[in-house]
Amino acid sequence: MKQANTAIDLAIKFGFLALMAGLIVFFSITAEGFLTPFSAVFILQSVAITGILALGVTSTLVVGGFDLSIGAVATSALMLSSYVMVVWEMNAFWAVTFSLMMGAFVGFLNGVLIVKMRVPDLLATLGMMFLLIGAQRIPTEGRSISTGMALPDGTIADGTFSQAFLMLGRHRIGDLVPLSVVFLIVIAILVWVFLELTRHGRLMYAIGSNAQAASLAGTNVNRYKIIAYMISGTLASVGGVLLAARLGRGDVASGNNLLLDSVAAALIGFAVLGASKPNAFGTAIGALFVGILLQGLTMLNAPYYTQDFIKGAVLVVALMFTFALSGRSGRGRI
């Protein structure tokens, strides 16, 4: 019995990492060129933005919430930063500043709707998602933003994307590591330190476990929930800015998959090292896992319409495996 429990504990803690290692070995054997520096850099670049958004989702999961508006916030930041430079002809500083302020403000509104107006988090952030999807298209009548585009009033937009702005999404350190990957690593470390090593992070976990008990202990539950959604909105806007800098245009359709991939990464994080709870390290690993899976499937020429199915199947199996075993060992918690 003791040996069985030990085996279960090992499976809970290292099962997902073993699955990811097995996936790397499988793709290395079946997909030519998968295990190369170029492929590794491409995977890291592809998951950088998804990972940053997923860390924002993690902050809301920690307090027992959920943010469905992150994809729309990211796309809004992409469109806003592009509009500021191309139409208003302002520099990169203002483009980034306005975008971050917008993300934080949307997060604040989400938090107020949830804690003050008592709107369920899924409904509040879903409504905000649709509001932003509509709002980001109105200034250009649904068209993408680029230099020389015709505006609705008939004028021509003469502004350009500054090199300083484009560097955020295109610059490579040592001609290899994209700057966006550095942003992901730094943000992941900061979020991990905040959640795991500070008093505020521990209080946020306490709120997610039992908000009523945390309130009776003197914690300002509403304030921390609003802060969590502001973190989520701000990180989503960071992802949107990096995406705009990579594309060099305000592509209104470029953020379509950000929500699903980010949520998948955040939820997969529950399975990493048997955490069974939202955590920054697991989320970063989850984003990497999604990137490895999609890169491998692409190199195997898997039809694009099967990728979401496979990704969903892996997510379901990973979470079922983790929580089923955690429940058997008496350690399961969210």
Side-chain angles (χ1 to χ4, degrees):
M1 183 69 178
K2 187 175 182 180
Q3 290 180 340
N5 288 334
T6 301
I8 291 175
D9 288 341
L10 289 174
I12 291 171
K13 193 164 187 178
F14 300 110
F16 182 80
L17 294 179
L19 173 63
M20 189 166 73
L23 202 63
I24 293 172
V25 172
F26 172 76
F27 285 135
S28 299
I29 296 172
T30 58
E32 184 178 353
F34 178 82
L35 202 63
T36 63
F38 176 80
S39 178
V41 169
F42 185 84
I43 291 172
L44 290 173
Q45 185 175 32
S46 68
V47 304
I49 294 172
T50 298
I52 291 172
L53 267 66
L55 288 166
V57 176
T58 300
S59 70
T60 61
L61 289 171
V62 165
V63 296
F66 199 83
D67 189 355
L68 286 174
S69 67
I70 54 165
V73 173
T75 308
S76 296
L78 178 151
M79 296 295 287
L80 177 59
S81 59
S82 302
Y83 199 88
V84 168
M85 286 183 289
V86 174
V87 180
W88 291 349
E89 300 184 24
M90 301 176 74
N91 60 29
F93 172 81
W94 291 112
V96 173
T97 300
F98 286 151
S99 297
L100 295 181
M101 290 175 60
M102 180 276 299
F105 181 67
V106 170
F108 175 77
L109 289 180
N110 280 334
V112 169
L113 285 173
I114 292 165
V115 305
K116 297 295 185 182
M117 307 299 178
R118 306 295 182 185
V119 180
D121 51 0
L122 292 178
L123 296 181
T125 56
L126 181 66
M128 185 62 68
M129 179 185 76
F130 283 116
L131 188 153
L132 291 174
I133 288 174
Q136 68 198 16
R137 298 170 185 240
I138 291 174
T140 62
E141 297 182 342
R143 294 191 295 270
S144 296
I145 300 173
S146 59
T147 301
M149 67 175 291
L151 298 173
D153 61 3
T155 59
I156 301 299
D158 295 324
T160 60
F161 287 84
S162 71
Q163 289 302 313
F165 183 83
L166 294 176
M167 183 183 72
L168 296 174
R170 299 179 179 180
H171 180 70
R172 292 175 181 265
I173 299 175
D175 292 328
L176 183 64
V177 181
L179 190 58
S180 57
V181 175
V182 177
F183 279 113
L184 170 62
I185 294 172
V186 171
I187 291 172
I189 292 173
L190 291 176
V191 173
W192 180 82
V193 169
F194 175 74
L195 292 178
E196 303 291 340
L197 302 182
T198 70
R199 172 178 175 271
H200 301 294
R202 289 191 289 271
L203 289 176
M204 289 174 68
Y205 272 116
I207 291 169
S209 297
N210 191 324
Q212 185 175 4
S215 179
L216 292 174
T219 304
N220 191 327
V221 172
N222 289 349
R223 180 188 300 172
Y224 277 105
K225 284 190 174 183
I226 291 175
I227 289 173
Y229 282 94
M230 290 182 70
I231 292 173
S232 180
T234 302
L235 292 184
S237 65
V238 171
V241 167
L242 293 177
L243 185 56
R246 182 192 300 177
L247 297 174
R249 60 183 278 115
D251 188 348
V252 72
S254 59
N256 289 344
N257 293 326
L258 290 176
L259 172 62
L260 295 179
D261 287 348
S262 301
V263 169
L267 294 180
I268 286 174
F270 281 62
V272 177
L273 293 180
S276 297
K277 67 176 184 177
N279 65 97
F281 176 76
T283 296
I285 297 298
L288 182 61
F289 179 86
V290 171
I292 291 171
L293 182 63
L294 295 182
Q295 174 73 350
L297 292 174
T298 300
M299 295 184 73
L300 287 177
N301 295 319
Y304 72 92
Y305 49 81
T306 66
Q307 294 188 6
D308 285 338
F309 172 80
I310 296 173
K311 183 167 53 180
V314 170
L315 172 62
V316 170
V317 170
L319 293 179
M320 287 177 58
F321 179 78
T322 299
F323 287 109
L325 290 180
S326 296
R328 285 182 61 186
S329 64
R331 303 190 317 177
R333 65 175 183 147
I334 298 180

